[in-house]
Amino acid sequence: MALSREEREQFLSEPRVAAFAVNAGEGRAPLTVPIWYQYAPGEDVWILTGLHSRKNRLLQAAGRFSLLVERVEPTIRYVSAEGPVVDTSPATVEKLREISARYLPAEKVEGYVDFAWKSHGEQVVVRMRPERWVSSDLGSI
């Protein structure tokens, strides 16, 4: 059964690792990788990625991407959101801290942020405005 707008936005706002997909060019399947993301109902989705990464090069060429999040308990549910890139800007340590706090225990955030900020190279924040949604709750098996 399809989810209502409120249900799908709430589900997407939960801290789940997403499957990120972007067009990888002619003759290639989409690049699909797991990714952390940030979302609040009614807002844009944003991700962090390396400025010089393949993912960012493909994002800038395609101008859009999709995210798929799912769960299997207590029911099988998924939400996919797809839309255009609406902004790309340099990452800040505050954005890194925000997204890290979404996924890590509080006592691990600062250590991870210090490591990632020093080790992952130049990062960018890429914002996507969800335009197309596919969602369902398949119930329990």
Side-chain angles (χ1 to χ4, degrees):
M1 172 167 239
L3 302 177
S4 69
R5 178 181 179 160
E6 293 78 21
E7 288 171 323
R8 71 184 186 219
E9 288 185 346
Q10 178 58 42
F11 188 75
L12 190 62
S13 72
E14 296 171 6
R16 301 181 182 281
V17 175
F20 164 93
V22 65
N23 185 334
E26 190 166 336
R28 300 284 306 260
L31 171 69
T32 306
V33 295
I35 197 164
W36 288 357
Y37 68 94
Q38 181 61 290
Y39 176 73
E43 296 184 7
D44 296 336
V45 173
W46 62 266
I47 62 167
L48 282 173
T49 193
L51 174 63
H52 303 293
S53 68
R54 178 172 181 241
K55 187 183 326 160
N56 191 45
R57 287 191 310 273
L58 292 172
L59 273 170
Q60 299 313 311
R64 59 191 317 108
F65 66 94
S66 63
L67 295 177
L68 169 70
V69 295
E70 64 179 329
R71 71 170 193 211
V72 294
E73 290 183 6
T75 61
I76 299 169
R77 179 177 278 199
Y78 67 88
V79 169
S80 174
E82 181 258 329
V85 171
V86 294
D87 185 61
T88 302
S89 59
T92 63
V93 72
E94 291 79 17
K95 286 293 188 194
L96 177 59
R97 187 174 291 112
E98 178 183 340
I99 205 163
S100 299
R102 178 172 162 89
Y103 291 94
L104 299 174
E107 68 274 9
K108 302 285 185 181
V109 171
E110 287 308 314
Y112 175 78
V113 168
D114 287 343
F115 165 79
W117 192 250
K118 293 173 186 171
S119 303
H120 290 174
E122 199 170 351
Q123 302 279 303
V124 290
V125 174
V126 180
R127 294 183 180 278
M128 178 264 281
R129 180 151 305 130
E131 286 182 339
R132 293 181 184 89
W133 298 80
V134 178
S135 64
S136 187
D137 192 314
L138 305 173
S140 59
I141 296 180

PDB file of all heavy atoms in Angstrom, residues 30-59:
ATOM      1  N   PRO A  30      23.475   2.769 -13.364  1.00  0.00           N
ATOM      2  CA  PRO A  30      23.670   3.883 -12.428  1.00  0.00           C
ATOM      3  C   PRO A  30      24.693   3.521 -11.359  1.00  0.00           C
ATOM      4  O   PRO A  30      24.795   2.362 -10.944  1.00  0.00           O
ATOM      5  CB  PRO A  30      22.290   4.066 -11.798  1.00  0.00           C
ATOM      6  CG  PRO A  30      21.339   3.422 -12.736  1.00  0.00           C
ATOM      7  CD  PRO A  30      22.091   2.312 -13.406  1.00  0.00           C
ATOM      8  N   LEU A  31      25.462   4.503 -10.933  1.00  0.00           N
ATOM      9  CA  LEU A  31      26.311   4.339  -9.756  1.00  0.00           C
ATOM     10  C   LEU A  31      25.371   4.270  -8.560  1.00  0.00           C
ATOM     11  O   LEU A  31      24.545   5.172  -8.360  1.00  0.00           O
ATOM     12  CB  LEU A  31      27.268   5.527  -9.603  1.00  0.00           C
ATOM     13  CG  LEU A  31      28.052   5.549  -8.284  1.00  0.00           C
ATOM     14  CD1 LEU A  31      29.061   4.403  -8.256  1.00  0.00           C
ATOM     15  CD2 LEU A  31      28.735   6.884  -8.109  1.00  0.00           C
ATOM     16  N   THR A  32      25.451   3.203  -7.789  1.00  0.00           N
ATOM     17  CA  THR A  32      24.595   3.019  -6.627  1.00  0.00           C
ATOM     18  C   THR A  32      25.468   2.646  -5.441  1.00  0.00           C
ATOM     19  O   THR A  32      26.186   1.636  -5.499  1.00  0.00           O
ATOM     20  CB  THR A  32      23.550   1.912  -6.880  1.00  0.00           C
ATOM     21  OG1 THR A  32      22.844   2.216  -8.089  1.00  0.00           O
ATOM     22  CG2 THR A  32      22.570   1.810  -5.733  1.00  0.00           C
ATOM     23  N   VAL A  33      25.427   3.476  -4.400  1.00  0.00           N
ATOM     24  CA  VAL A  33      26.254   3.252  -3.209  1.00  0.00           C
ATOM     25  C   VAL A  33      25.465   3.627  -1.957  1.00  0.00           C
ATOM     26  O   VAL A  33      24.538   4.440  -2.016  1.00  0.00           O
ATOM     27  CB  VAL A  33      27.561   4.085  -3.267  1.00  0.00           C
ATOM     28  CG1 VAL A  33      28.461   3.626  -4.408  1.00  0.00           C
ATOM     29  CG2 VAL A  33      27.275   5.566  -3.386  1.00  0.00           C
ATOM     30  N   PRO A  34      25.837   3.047  -0.813  1.00  0.00           N
ATOM     31  CA  PRO A  34      25.195   3.467   0.440  1.00  0.00           C
ATOM     32  C   PRO A  34      25.702   4.849   0.833  1.00  0.00           C
ATOM     33  O   PRO A  34      26.851   5.208   0.553  1.00  0.00           O
ATOM     34  CB  PRO A  34      25.645   2.399   1.441  1.00  0.00           C
ATOM     35  CG  PRO A  34      26.898   1.829   0.870  1.00  0.00           C
ATOM     36  CD  PRO A  34      26.809   1.977  -0.618  1.00  0.00           C
ATOM     37  N   ILE A  35      24.818   5.624   1.471  1.00  0.00           N
ATOM     38  CA  ILE A  35      25.219   6.984   1.843  1.00  0.00           C
ATOM     39  C   ILE A  35      24.417   7.479   3.041  1.00  0.00           C
ATOM     40  O   ILE A  35      23.264   7.111   3.220  1.00  0.00           O
ATOM     41  CB  ILE A  35      25.042   7.954   0.649  1.00  0.00           C
ATOM     42  CG1 ILE A  35      25.814   9.248   0.874  1.00  0.00           C
ATOM     43  CG2 ILE A  35      23.563   8.210   0.357  1.00  0.00           C
ATOM     44  CD1 ILE A  35      26.000  10.073  -0.388  1.00  0.00           C
ATOM     45  N   TRP A  36      25.059   8.301   3.854  1.00  0.00           N
ATOM     46  CA  TRP A  36      24.355   9.047   4.890  1.00  0.00           C
ATOM     47  C   TRP A  36      23.715  10.257   4.221  1.00  0.00           C
ATOM     48  O   TRP A  36      24.272  10.832   3.281  1.00  0.00           O
ATOM     49  CB  TRP A  36      25.320   9.547   5.947  1.00  0.00           C
ATOM     50  CG  TRP A  36      25.895   8.508   6.860  1.00  0.00           C
ATOM     51  CD1 TRP A  36      25.617   7.170   6.890  1.00  0.00           C
ATOM     52  CD2 TRP A  36      26.859   8.738   7.877  1.00  0.00           C
ATOM     53  NE1 TRP A  36      26.335   6.565   7.872  1.00  0.00           N
ATOM     54  CE2 TRP A  36      27.123   7.502   8.503  1.00  0.00           C
ATOM     55  CE3 TRP A  36      27.542   9.866   8.322  1.00  0.00           C
ATOM     56  CZ2 TRP A  36      28.026   7.364   9.551  1.00  0.00           C
ATOM     57  CZ3 TRP A  36      28.434   9.733   9.365  1.00  0.00           C
ATOM     58  CH2 TRP A  36      28.665   8.498   9.970  1.00  0.00           C
ATOM     59  N   TYR A  37      22.563  10.663   4.728  1.00  0.00           N
ATOM     60  CA  TYR A  37      21.884  11.830   4.186  1.00  0.00           C
ATOM     61  C   TYR A  37      21.165  12.536   5.323  1.00  0.00           C
ATOM     62  O   TYR A  37      20.978  11.981   6.408  1.00  0.00           O
ATOM     63  CB  TYR A  37      20.874  11.415   3.095  1.00  0.00           C
ATOM     64  CG  TYR A  37      19.698  10.635   3.647  1.00  0.00           C
ATOM     65  CD1 TYR A  37      18.510  11.283   4.000  1.00  0.00           C
ATOM     66  CD2 TYR A  37      19.781   9.269   3.866  1.00  0.00           C
ATOM     67  CE1 TYR A  37      17.445  10.576   4.540  1.00  0.00           C
ATOM     68  CE2 TYR A  37      18.725   8.564   4.406  1.00  0.00           C
ATOM     69  CZ  TYR A  37      17.564   9.213   4.740  1.00  0.00           C
ATOM     70  OH  TYR A  37      16.520   8.517   5.296  1.00  0.00           O
ATOM     71  N   GLN A  38      20.718  13.755   5.072  1.00  0.00           N
ATOM     72  CA  GLN A  38      19.929  14.515   6.033  1.00  0.00           C
ATOM     73  C   GLN A  38      18.652  14.971   5.351  1.00  0.00           C
ATOM     74  O   GLN A  38      18.676  15.380   4.182  1.00  0.00           O
ATOM     75  CB  GLN A  38      20.732  15.722   6.541  1.00  0.00           C
ATOM     76  CG  GLN A  38      20.044  16.585   7.563  1.00  0.00           C
ATOM     77  CD  GLN A  38      19.693  15.870   8.850  1.00  0.00           C
ATOM     78  OE1 GLN A  38      18.811  15.022   8.845  1.00  0.00           O
ATOM     79  NE2 GLN A  38      20.368  16.208   9.921  1.00  0.00           N
ATOM     80  N   TYR A  39      17.545  14.886   6.087  1.00  0.00           N
ATOM     81  CA  TYR A  39      16.259  15.309   5.539  1.00  0.00           C
ATOM     82  C   TYR A  39      15.315  15.649   6.679  1.00  0.00           C
ATOM     83  O   TYR A  39      15.286  14.975   7.700  1.00  0.00           O
ATOM     84  CB  TYR A  39      15.629  14.198   4.685  1.00  0.00           C
ATOM     85  CG  TYR A  39      14.256  14.561   4.167  1.00  0.00           C
ATOM     86  CD1 TYR A  39      14.107  15.484   3.143  1.00  0.00           C
ATOM     87  CD2 TYR A  39      13.106  14.014   4.730  1.00  0.00           C
ATOM     88  CE1 TYR A  39      12.846  15.838   2.673  1.00  0.00           C
ATOM     89  CE2 TYR A  39      11.844  14.366   4.268  1.00  0.00           C
ATOM     90  CZ  TYR A  39      11.728  15.285   3.239  1.00  0.00           C
ATOM     91  OH  TYR A  39      10.487  15.647   2.784  1.00  0.00           O
ATOM     92  N   ALA A  40      14.531  16.695   6.475  1.00  0.00           N
ATOM     93  CA  ALA A  40      13.419  17.053   7.352  1.00  0.00           C
ATOM     94  C   ALA A  40      12.196  17.227   6.458  1.00  0.00           C
ATOM     95  O   ALA A  40      12.316  17.728   5.335  1.00  0.00           O
ATOM     96  CB  ALA A  40      13.716  18.330   8.125  1.00  0.00           C
ATOM     97  N   PRO A  41      11.018  16.798   6.923  1.00  0.00           N
ATOM     98  CA  PRO A  41       9.812  16.888   6.091  1.00  0.00           C
ATOM     99  C   PRO A  41       9.628  18.269   5.454  1.00  0.00           C
ATOM    100  O   PRO A  41       9.780  19.297   6.118  1.00  0.00           O
ATOM    101  CB  PRO A  41       8.687  16.559   7.065  1.00  0.00           C
ATOM    102  CG  PRO A  41       9.325  15.611   8.033  1.00  0.00           C
ATOM    103  CD  PRO A  41      10.718  16.175   8.225  1.00  0.00           C
ATOM    104  N   GLY A  42       9.366  18.259   4.138  1.00  0.00           N
ATOM    105  CA  GLY A  42       9.123  19.483   3.397  1.00  0.00           C
ATOM    106  C   GLY A  42      10.369  20.220   2.945  1.00  0.00           C
ATOM    107  O   GLY A  42      10.274  21.240   2.263  1.00  0.00           O
ATOM    108  N   GLU A  43      11.541  19.721   3.295  1.00  0.00           N
ATOM    109  CA  GLU A  43      12.790  20.398   2.935  1.00  0.00           C
ATOM    110  C   GLU A  43      13.531  19.611   1.849  1.00  0.00           C
ATOM    111  O   GLU A  43      13.077  18.569   1.403  1.00  0.00           O
ATOM    112  CB  GLU A  43      13.667  20.563   4.182  1.00  0.00           C
ATOM    113  CG  GLU A  43      13.025  21.464   5.225  1.00  0.00           C
ATOM    114  CD  GLU A  43      13.924  21.717   6.412  1.00  0.00           C
ATOM    115  OE1 GLU A  43      15.106  21.301   6.394  1.00  0.00           O
ATOM    116  OE2 GLU A  43      13.434  22.330   7.369  1.00  0.00           O
ATOM    117  N   ASP A  44      14.691  20.130   1.461  1.00  0.00           N
ATOM    118  CA  ASP A  44      15.554  19.431   0.525  1.00  0.00           C
ATOM    119  C   ASP A  44      16.321  18.335   1.262  1.00  0.00           C
ATOM    120  O   ASP A  44      16.582  18.439   2.461  1.00  0.00           O
ATOM    121  CB  ASP A  44      16.562  20.391  -0.108  1.00  0.00           C
ATOM    122  CG  ASP A  44      15.902  21.461  -0.965  1.00  0.00           C
ATOM    123  OD1 ASP A  44      14.777  21.226  -1.453  1.00  0.00           O
ATOM    124  OD2 ASP A  44      16.511  22.530  -1.133  1.00  0.00           O
ATOM    125  N   VAL A  45      16.706  17.304   0.538  1.00  0.00           N
ATOM    126  CA  VAL A  45      17.611  16.270   1.033  1.00  0.00           C
ATOM    127  C   VAL A  45      19.026  16.779   0.796  1.00  0.00           C
ATOM    128  O   VAL A  45      19.288  17.419  -0.228  1.00  0.00           O
ATOM    129  CB  VAL A  45      17.426  14.960   0.233  1.00  0.00           C
ATOM    130  CG1 VAL A  45      18.468  13.930   0.629  1.00  0.00           C
ATOM    131  CG2 VAL A  45      16.024  14.412   0.402  1.00  0.00           C
ATOM    132  N   TRP A  46      19.954  16.502   1.720  1.00  0.00           N
ATOM    133  CA  TRP A  46      21.345  16.819   1.416  1.00  0.00           C
ATOM    134  C   TRP A  46      22.279  15.691   1.826  1.00  0.00           C
ATOM    135  O   TRP A  46      21.976  14.913   2.720  1.00  0.00           O
ATOM    136  CB  TRP A  46      21.795  18.160   1.971  1.00  0.00           C
ATOM    137  CG  TRP A  46      21.789  18.368   3.458  1.00  0.00           C
ATOM    138  CD1 TRP A  46      20.786  18.921   4.191  1.00  0.00           C
ATOM    139  CD2 TRP A  46      22.850  18.079   4.368  1.00  0.00           C
ATOM    140  NE1 TRP A  46      21.158  18.980   5.515  1.00  0.00           N
ATOM    141  CE2 TRP A  46      22.411  18.477   5.647  1.00  0.00           C
ATOM    142  CE3 TRP A  46      24.118  17.531   4.242  1.00  0.00           C
ATOM    143  CZ2 TRP A  46      23.212  18.334   6.785  1.00  0.00           C
ATOM    144  CZ3 TRP A  46      24.912  17.388   5.363  1.00  0.00           C
ATOM    145  CH2 TRP A  46      24.463  17.797   6.618  1.00  0.00           C
ATOM    146  N   ILE A  47      23.367  15.620   1.080  1.00  0.00           N
ATOM    147  CA  ILE A  47      24.414  14.629   1.304  1.00  0.00           C
ATOM    148  C   ILE A  47      25.754  15.346   1.337  1.00  0.00           C
ATOM    149  O   ILE A  47      25.876  16.478   0.860  1.00  0.00           O
ATOM    150  CB  ILE A  47      24.431  13.545   0.207  1.00  0.00           C
ATOM    151  CG1 ILE A  47      24.738  14.170  -1.164  1.00  0.00           C
ATOM    152  CG2 ILE A  47      23.115  12.774   0.182  1.00  0.00           C
ATOM    153  CD1 ILE A  47      25.086  13.182  -2.251  1.00  0.00           C
ATOM    154  N   LEU A  48      26.745  14.678   1.876  1.00  0.00           N
ATOM    155  CA  LEU A  48      28.135  15.133   1.797  1.00  0.00           C
ATOM    156  C   LEU A  48      28.890  14.158   0.908  1.00  0.00           C
ATOM    157  O   LEU A  48      28.686  12.939   1.008  1.00  0.00           O
ATOM    158  CB  LEU A  48      28.796  15.109   3.180  1.00  0.00           C
ATOM    159  CG  LEU A  48      28.471  16.222   4.144  1.00  0.00           C
ATOM    160  CD1 LEU A  48      29.092  15.923   5.509  1.00  0.00           C
ATOM    161  CD2 LEU A  48      28.988  17.541   3.639  1.00  0.00           C
ATOM    162  N   THR A  49      29.755  14.675   0.062  1.00  0.00           N
ATOM    163  CA  THR A  49      30.597  13.818  -0.771  1.00  0.00           C
ATOM    164  C   THR A  49      31.889  14.555  -1.094  1.00  0.00           C
ATOM    165  O   THR A  49      31.972  15.779  -0.952  1.00  0.00           O
ATOM    166  CB  THR A  49      29.857  13.377  -2.058  1.00  0.00           C
ATOM    167  OG1 THR A  49      30.608  12.322  -2.673  1.00  0.00           O
ATOM    168  CG2 THR A  49      29.639  14.521  -3.017  1.00  0.00           C
ATOM    169  N   GLY A  50      32.863  13.818  -1.537  1.00  0.00           N
ATOM    170  CA  GLY A  50      34.145  14.415  -1.891  1.00  0.00           C
ATOM    171  C   GLY A  50      34.032  15.312  -3.101  1.00  0.00           C
ATOM    172  O   GLY A  50      33.390  14.948  -4.095  1.00  0.00           O
ATOM    173  N   LEU A  51      34.657  16.468  -3.035  1.00  0.00           N
ATOM    174  CA  LEU A  51      34.621  17.422  -4.139  1.00  0.00           C
ATOM    175  C   LEU A  51      35.119  16.780  -5.434  1.00  0.00           C
ATOM    176  O   LEU A  51      34.558  17.000  -6.501  1.00  0.00           O
ATOM    177  CB  LEU A  51      35.459  18.656  -3.805  1.00  0.00           C
ATOM    178  CG  LEU A  51      35.627  19.686  -4.916  1.00  0.00           C
ATOM    179  CD1 LEU A  51      34.277  20.291  -5.299  1.00  0.00           C
ATOM    180  CD2 LEU A  51      36.605  20.773  -4.498  1.00  0.00           C
ATOM    181  N   HIS A  52      36.171  15.982  -5.345  1.00  0.00           N
ATOM    182  CA  HIS A  52      36.790  15.400  -6.540  1.00  0.00           C
ATOM    183  C   HIS A  52      36.396  13.939  -6.746  1.00  0.00           C
ATOM    184  O   HIS A  52      37.020  13.246  -7.555  1.00  0.00           O
ATOM    185  CB  HIS A  52      38.310  15.540  -6.459  1.00  0.00           C
ATOM    186  CG  HIS A  52      38.736  16.969  -6.290  1.00  0.00           C
ATOM    187  ND1 HIS A  52      38.566  17.923  -7.267  1.00  0.00           N
ATOM    188  CD2 HIS A  52      39.283  17.620  -5.227  1.00  0.00           C
ATOM    189  CE1 HIS A  52      39.002  19.090  -6.827  1.00  0.00           C
ATOM    190  NE2 HIS A  52      39.436  18.934  -5.601  1.00  0.00           N
ATOM    191  N   SER A  53      35.373  13.484  -6.076  1.00  0.00           N
ATOM    192  CA  SER A  53      34.955  12.088  -6.178  1.00  0.00           C
ATOM    193  C   SER A  53      34.221  11.815  -7.490  1.00  0.00           C
ATOM    194  O   SER A  53      33.648  12.715  -8.116  1.00  0.00           O
ATOM    195  CB  SER A  53      34.047  11.718  -5.000  1.00  0.00           C
ATOM    196  OG  SER A  53      32.811  12.411  -5.106  1.00  0.00           O
ATOM    197  N   ARG A  54      34.203  10.563  -7.877  1.00  0.00           N
ATOM    198  CA  ARG A  54      33.421  10.146  -9.054  1.00  0.00           C
ATOM    199  C   ARG A  54      31.950  10.478  -8.832  1.00  0.00           C
ATOM    200  O   ARG A  54      31.254  10.937  -9.745  1.00  0.00           O
ATOM    201  CB  ARG A  54      33.609   8.653  -9.307  1.00  0.00           C
ATOM    202  CG  ARG A  54      32.794   8.155 -10.491  1.00  0.00           C
ATOM    203  CD  ARG A  54      33.149   6.714 -10.844  1.00  0.00           C
ATOM    204  NE  ARG A  54      32.350   6.305 -11.992  1.00  0.00           N
ATOM    205  CZ  ARG A  54      31.492   5.309 -11.975  1.00  0.00           C
ATOM    206  NH1 ARG A  54      31.336   4.578 -10.875  1.00  0.00           N
ATOM    207  NH2 ARG A  54      30.805   5.007 -13.053  1.00  0.00           N
ATOM    208  N   LYS A  55      31.484  10.246  -7.619  1.00  0.00           N
ATOM    209  CA  LYS A  55      30.085  10.516  -7.295  1.00  0.00           C
ATOM    210  C   LYS A  55      29.747  11.979  -7.581  1.00  0.00           C
ATOM    211  O   LYS A  55      28.730  12.271  -8.214  1.00  0.00           O
ATOM    212  CB  LYS A  55      29.840  10.195  -5.819  1.00  0.00           C
ATOM    213  CG  LYS A  55      28.409  10.267  -5.397  1.00  0.00           C
ATOM    214  CD  LYS A  55      28.229  10.020  -3.898  1.00  0.00           C
ATOM    215  CE  LYS A  55      29.205   9.044  -3.322  1.00  0.00           C
ATOM    216  NZ  LYS A  55      29.360   9.144  -1.881  1.00  0.00           N
ATOM    217  N   ASN A  56      30.578  12.906  -7.152  1.00  0.00           N
ATOM    218  CA  ASN A  56      30.301  14.321  -7.380  1.00  0.00           C
ATOM    219  C   ASN A  56      30.404  14.682  -8.860  1.00  0.00           C
ATOM    220  O   ASN A  56      29.586  15.448  -9.367  1.00  0.00           O
ATOM    221  CB  ASN A  56      31.223  15.208  -6.548  1.00  0.00           C
ATOM    222  CG  ASN A  56      30.772  16.647  -6.567  1.00  0.00           C
ATOM    223  OD1 ASN A  56      29.585  16.944  -6.410  1.00  0.00           O
ATOM    224  ND2 ASN A  56      31.699  17.558  -6.778  1.00  0.00           N
ATOM    225  N   ARG A  57      31.362  14.121  -9.567  1.00  0.00           N
ATOM    226  CA  ARG A  57      31.465  14.391 -11.017  1.00  0.00           C
ATOM    227  C   ARG A  57      30.193  13.928 -11.723  1.00  0.00           C
ATOM    228  O   ARG A  57      29.649  14.641 -12.572  1.00  0.00           O
ATOM    229  CB  ARG A  57      32.696  13.715 -11.610  1.00  0.00           C
ATOM    230  CG  ARG A  57      34.000  14.374 -11.230  1.00  0.00           C
ATOM    231  CD  ARG A  57      35.181  13.854 -12.038  1.00  0.00           C
ATOM    232  NE  ARG A  57      35.292  12.409 -12.085  1.00  0.00           N
ATOM    233  CZ  ARG A  57      35.932  11.663 -11.187  1.00  0.00           C
ATOM    234  NH1 ARG A  57      36.508  12.228 -10.145  1.00  0.00           N
ATOM    235  NH2 ARG A  57      36.002  10.345 -11.333  1.00  0.00           N
ATOM    236  N   LEU A  58      29.711  12.740 -11.383  1.00  0.00           N
ATOM    237  CA  LEU A  58      28.487  12.226 -11.999  1.00  0.00           C
ATOM    238  C   LEU A  58      27.274  13.068 -11.605  1.00  0.00           C
ATOM    239  O   LEU A  58      26.398  13.343 -12.432  1.00  0.00           O
ATOM    240  CB  LEU A  58      28.262  10.766 -11.611  1.00  0.00           C
ATOM    241  CG  LEU A  58      29.267   9.771 -12.186  1.00  0.00           C
ATOM    242  CD1 LEU A  58      29.059   8.390 -11.570  1.00  0.00           C
ATOM    243  CD2 LEU A  58      29.199   9.726 -13.697  1.00  0.00           C
ATOM    244  N   LEU A  59      27.215  13.484 -10.337  1.00  0.00           N
ATOM    245  CA  LEU A  59      26.125  14.348  -9.875  1.00  0.00           C
ATOM    246  C   LEU A  59      26.066  15.645 -10.667  1.00  0.00           C
ATOM    247  O   LEU A  59      24.995  16.086 -11.079  1.00  0.00           O
ATOM    248  CB  LEU A  59      26.320  14.705  -8.399  1.00  0.00           C
ATOM    249  CG  LEU A  59      25.767  13.760  -7.370  1.00  0.00           C
ATOM    250  CD1 LEU A  59      26.274  14.139  -5.992  1.00  0.00           C
ATOM    251  CD2 LEU A  59      24.269  13.767  -7.404  1.00  0.00           C
TER     252      LEU A  59
END
